[in-house]
Amino acid sequence: MQWDRGQKRDEDRIIIHFDYDAFYASVVENENPALKSVPLAIQQKQIVVTCNYEARRRGLRKLQLITEAKRVCPEAVIVLGEDLTRFRNASKDLCSFLRERMWSGRLERLGFDEVWLDCTDMIEFNHALLNKNDLERSFFCTDKDDPTCGFEYDARTVFGPTYPQYAASEGVLNEDDRRLQLRLLLGSHFARYLRHELESQKGYTATVGIATNKTLSKLVGNVNKPKNQTTLMPPLVDNNGKEGTIHQFMDAHDIGKVPGIGFKLAQKIRAHVLGRDADHEEGLVYGGTREHVTVRDVRLHATIGPDKLEEILSGPGSQKGIGGRIWDLLNGYDETEVSKVKRVPSQISQEDSYMKYLHTFEQVRQQLFLLAERLIRRMHLDTMEDDEEAGSDSTTTRRWLAHPRTLRLTTRPRPPLNADGTRVRSFNRISHSAPMPNFVFSLTEAPSVLADKLVDSTLTPMFRKLHPERNGWNLSLVNIAATNMAETAADSKDSEGRDIGRMFRRQEDVLKDFKVVESEDTAPLEGIDEIDAQLGLAEKSTMQGSDNVDDEGDWLDEEQAEVGQVYDCRTCGQRMPLFAADAHIRFHTT
DNA sequence: AGGTATCCG
DNA sequence: CGCTCGGATACCT
């Protein structure tokens, strides 16, 4: 029975959720510590995207107009933060820092400033280590291979605030709950340790939640902000007619505050709980009309259950099983795993928004160029790594971990302001995609040169397709994205990754003599058409070679044959069968 | 695969 | 609610 979903739980995990306090502002403060004591706001276009707590004390808010912010707090220091590079780098750095302290690779980022950690294994280990006769002087081991590495703590009490504020005394808990309470207690001390490490070594404070799943850990952290932590304590579930802490905690939330219930879903649920006529009688002023719908209102609603939610929420485009998933969330039930950190993002994009519209095509072209150049630089930073075994020679070799196979151009036409009230069919953004041309993966040409080519060869035609009108566009946003990442070698997701990586590296050993050395006498590549034509030729020779291999059979050894005989050109990114590689390399070097 | 919607920060 | 500048995932064709 679906209603029981919420009562039958896995309580085996210990999940910690980190939310760095006022992240963008903290990054700027760490670059310039003098700013720590003054009200500081980060500006993007005409908006304060975030501000430090000193600024909040003086009335500044997230997503406030700059004009209003200056009026409320003229003395605030305002720093432009449209270029996200420093924030992205800081986010990655903190992520690595935390990951180094984790035994499982389970660390998941959400945005730039939130991270989930699955600490179950570390808690399990240290739970087993406890001496129940001397809890006061316990030692939390943070390194599996070094028992002296870690910190002392008092395992008689939870560290920091809890929800509910006063935890149940042990006597009222059953055996399972006592065990869970102890494990959460260990989690609270580990969270304190990590927060302390983060602050002392990296200069960042965070708001932290400790619970048994992702949703609960994220929400419970908010109970004490900033620079603090909160642990959700047992008894978690209802028992003997007594309400568990999960329902107690979740019930008070507005439905829209539950992660996973966004604007659209919340609207649909509210409409149903408040009555269908609420929409209809919008014109009437109802003094007593209730605006907020809480989790409790929905959960205890006479007719609402997972099936009813499915009915309410399903429609064109809605996910299958949405009703059951939302019902689970309302019950604080969330089995989604903390995913392992990915080495390569699945998408990279660059965008800019424009207050005044782009008049001429030259202006559009200029913007496309700027975005393309930034995108190509990002592709280098985010999807390449230094080759480990470049050792012998002094040239540093870089290799692509993944190639984006698709290029997407997105624009947002500004809704025309019509005096006569005629309405524009509005979907906010429109986009067009095309295959990513291979030349952008060149390591020998400058990003600016490649960006220029990309604009001429691909982005301009894409823009023409998106906006067939010759001129007169009124765009408020342009975005270009590299998507559809195809991994070239090792992959981090499963244990196979390393093996595959090793096998590919063996192929590279075979090809070592043909490795392209970046040099001045590399012939300048002249035009896309010419490159495409030559790559076309390379493909043809591949086909012929393929026949030969099939005929000869023993051209390659078996191990290589198993891998699939793929070679990724480090210069242009072209993927080809291994036997075509040396001809291809000659194409680049002659 | 391309295009759109809905989530998240 | 959208403003920002990203990002992930799912559905639809």
Side-chain angles (χ1 to χ4, degrees):
Chain A
M1 187 160 170
Q2 299 236 53
W3 284 64
D4 285 338
R5 284 176 189 252
Q7 296 297 319
K8 190 165 177 297
R9 300 162 190 275
D10 71 319
E11 295 161 1
D12 276 355
R13 293 182 300 161
I14 302 295
I15 310 296
I16 300 181
H17 178 262
F18 267 75
D19 187 334
Y20 313 131
D21 299 320
F23 182 60
Y24 285 11
S26 292
V27 172
V28 171
E29 285 175 4
N30 277 310
E31 289 170 357
N32 184 357
L35 293 174
K36 286 187 179 181
S37 53
V38 304
L40 172 66
I42 307 300
Q43 174 183 10
Q44 283 172 347
K45 295 299 182 297
Q46 74 275 47
I47 278 171
V48 172
V49 288
T50 193
C51 56
N52 66 6
Y53 276 81
E54 179 56 34
R56 292 182 202 189
R57 238 167 268 136
R58 304 187 192 205
L60 262 60
R61 295 283 167 256
K62 287 182 180 180
L63 304 184
Q64 199 170 31
L65 286 174
I66 287 290
T67 53
E68 196 192 334
K70 284 182 171 166
R71 186 165 48 74
V72 171
C73 181
E75 66 275 27
V77 174
I78 299 178
V79 172
L80 200 61
E82 288 165 15
D83 182 347
L84 302 188
T85 305
R86 60 221 294 227
F87 308 129
R88 182 157 41 227
N89 290 342
S91 176
K92 279 188 188 175
D93 185 39
L94 297 187
C95 204
S96 307
F97 183 81
L98 289 173
R99 190 158 70 107
E100 284 165 17
R101 283 148 182 82
M102 298 292 298
W103 295 358
S104 76
R106 297 210 174 274
L107 181 153
E108 183 177 340
R109 217 161 40 126
L110 180 60
F112 286 174
D113 69 335
E114 291 186 25
V115 162
W116 277 287
L117 311 172
D118 187 332
C119 307
T120 307
D121 52 357
M122 306 181 71
I123 300 300
E124 206 64 41
F125 183 91
N126 282 285
H127 181 243
L129 231 53
L130 283 178
N131 174 1
K132 309 260 178 180
N133 296 319
D134 190 12
L135 291 176
E136 185 178 357
R137 277 175 293 279
S138 296
F139 186 78
F140 193 107
C141 174
T142 54
D143 187 339
K144 246 186 303 195
D145 304 319
D146 183 354
T148 67
C149 225
F151 58 90
E152 290 172 22
Y153 68 108
D154 181 353
R156 293 174 306 174
T157 56
V158 177
F159 181 86
T162 59
Y163 184 95
Q165 196 170 344
Y166 301 106
S169 64
E170 273 200 40
V172 306
L173 297 176
N174 64 33
E175 195 186 324
D176 284 350
D177 279 343
R178 281 204 302 276
R179 176 168 175 275
L180 179 59
Q181 188 179 52
L182 190 50
R183 288 168 6 103
L184 285 164
L185 180 154
L186 263 66
S188 76
H189 285 274
F190 184 50
R192 179 210 64 85
Y193 166 77
L194 289 177
R195 283 205 297 127
H196 183 261
E197 292 277 293
L198 200 69
E199 182 165 11
S200 61
Q201 297 194 37
K202 291 293 178 178
Y204 288 84
T205 64
T207 294
V208 167
I210 302 101
T212 50
N213 67 44
K214 284 170 63 178
T215 298
L216 293 172
S217 63
K218 178 178 162 105
L219 283 175
V220 82
N222 294 329
V223 173
N224 294 281
K225 328 168 49 160
K227 295 191 201 188
N228 212 331
Q229 64 182 69
T230 311
T231 308
L232 183 67
M233 301 302 289
L236 299 182
V237 301
D238 303 353
N239 195 10
N240 294 334
K242 202 151 182 280
E243 191 177 55
T245 58
I246 289 181
H247 280 155
Q248 188 188 336
F249 176 64
M250 292 301 299
D251 275 359
H253 286 83
D254 186 284
I255 46 165
K257 292 284 193 293
V258 178
I261 303 181
F263 178 71
K264 297 284 188 181
L265 293 180
Q267 284 287 81
K268 289 181 183 175
I269 295 171
R270 269 185 213 117
H272 211 266
V273 171
L274 296 176
R276 295 198 176 284
D277 294 333
D279 259 2
H280 236 254
E281 299 169 11
E282 210 171 7
L284 299 175
V285 179
Y286 265 53
T289 297
R290 209 154 42 106
E291 280 273 312
H292 288 76
V293 172
T294 65
V295 169
R296 182 173 214 103
D297 294 331
V298 182
R299 195 173 65 79
L300 298 182
H301 189 99
T303 59
I304 293 184
D307 294 344
K308 190 66 176 177
L309 282 175
E310 183 75 24
E311 199 181 307
I312 295 167
L313 303 176
S314 71
S318 66
Q319 286 171 50
K320 255 178 287 179
I322 181 79
R325 289 196 307 100
I326 297 303
W327 183 253
D328 285 347
L329 290 178
L330 296 180
N331 283 278
Y333 181 72
D334 174 17
E335 283 198 303
T336 59
E337 295 214 324
V338 177
S339 56
K340 290 183 179 173
V341 64
K342 291 190 283 189
R343 316 158 79 204
V344 185
S346 49
Q347 182 185 123
I348 299 170
S349 66
Q350 291 282 316
E351 71 183 50
D352 214 335
S353 61
Y354 311 94
M355 306 181 198
K356 300 196 295 178
Y357 55 100
L358 276 32
H359 294 286
T360 66
F361 179 72
E362 259 319 298
Q363 288 174 319
V364 169
R365 213 193 105 88
Q366 172 71 11
Q367 292 308 310
L368 288 176
F369 171 77
L370 287 173
L371 292 171
E373 188 179 6
R374 274 148 53 184
L375 187 74
I376 289 168
R377 292 190 190 283
R378 284 278 316 281
M379 283 167 50
H380 282 72
L381 290 172
D382 293 359
T383 75
M384 292 179 69
E385 79 174 7
D386 291 325
D387 207 331
E388 299 158 14
E389 46 199 329
S392 57
D393 46 21
S394 58
T395 58
T396 71
T397 320
R398 316 245 305 149
R399 51 186 276 269
W400 295 95
L401 293 174
H403 292 130
R405 290 297 167 201
T406 304
L407 179 66
R408 187 178 64 215
L409 173 65
T410 303
T411 64
R412 185 178 62 202
R414 202 186 305 277
L417 15 77
N418 283 337
D420 58 324
T422 54
R423 241 195 269 131
V424 202
R425 194 165 107 67
S426 63
F427 48 95
N428 228 349
R429 292 153 119 96
I430 52 176
S431 72
H432 184 60
S433 307
M436 181 74 78
N438 279 317
F439 67 80
V440 304
F441 302 118
S442 166
L443 296 180
T444 58
E445 290 188 276
S448 61
V449 174
L450 297 170
D452 203 60
K453 283 189 191 173
L454 191 62
V455 171
D456 285 342
S457 73
T458 313
L459 286 170
T460 296
M462 289 171 76
F463 183 82
R464 294 293 188 198
K465 193 157 274 179
L466 212 50
H467 297 282
E469 323 86 34
R470 296 315 295 179
N471 49 38
W473 329 284
N474 189 353
L475 308 179
S476 62
L477 177 141
V478 177
N479 172 301
I480 60 177
T483 69
N484 189 16
M485 293 289 177
E487 304 219 23
T488 54
D491 103 302
S492 62
K493 275 178 117 180
D494 37 46
S495 50
E496 275 181 321
R498 266 191 294 261
D499 295 336
I500 292 174
R502 266 211 325 273
M503 291 159 92
F504 271 79
R505 230 161 267 146
R506 215 154 24 220
Q507 289 182 14
E508 291 179 31
D509 285 343
V510 173
L511 290 161
K512 221 175 220 159
D513 296 337
F514 301 107
K515 253 185 194 168
V516 179
V517 177
E518 296 186 27
S519 66
E520 312 288 315
D521 33 84
T522 300
L525 304 175
E526 291 191 333
I528 292 96
D529 291 346
E530 194 184 325
I531 294 174
D532 284 343
Q534 298 208 37
L535 290 178
L537 278 180
E539 266 179 49
K540 260 185 206 160
S541 74
T542 292
M543 299 295 277
Q544 284 189 339
S546 179
D547 290 336
N548 286 343
V549 169
D550 285 341
D551 292 343
E552 304 288 332
D554 54 359
W555 200 77
L556 296 167
D557 70 43
E558 310 224 290
E559 227 174 35
Q560 285 168 337
E562 274 173 15
V563 175
Q565 311 153 21
V566 179
Y567 176 70
D568 279 286
C569 174
R570 298 152 111 91
T571 299
C572 72
Q574 178 75 22
R575 174 174 283 204
M576 70 203 76
L578 187 55
F579 48 76
D582 81 306
H584 179 83
I585 288 163
R586 268 197 298 280
F587 153 68
H588 279 304
T589 50
T590 56

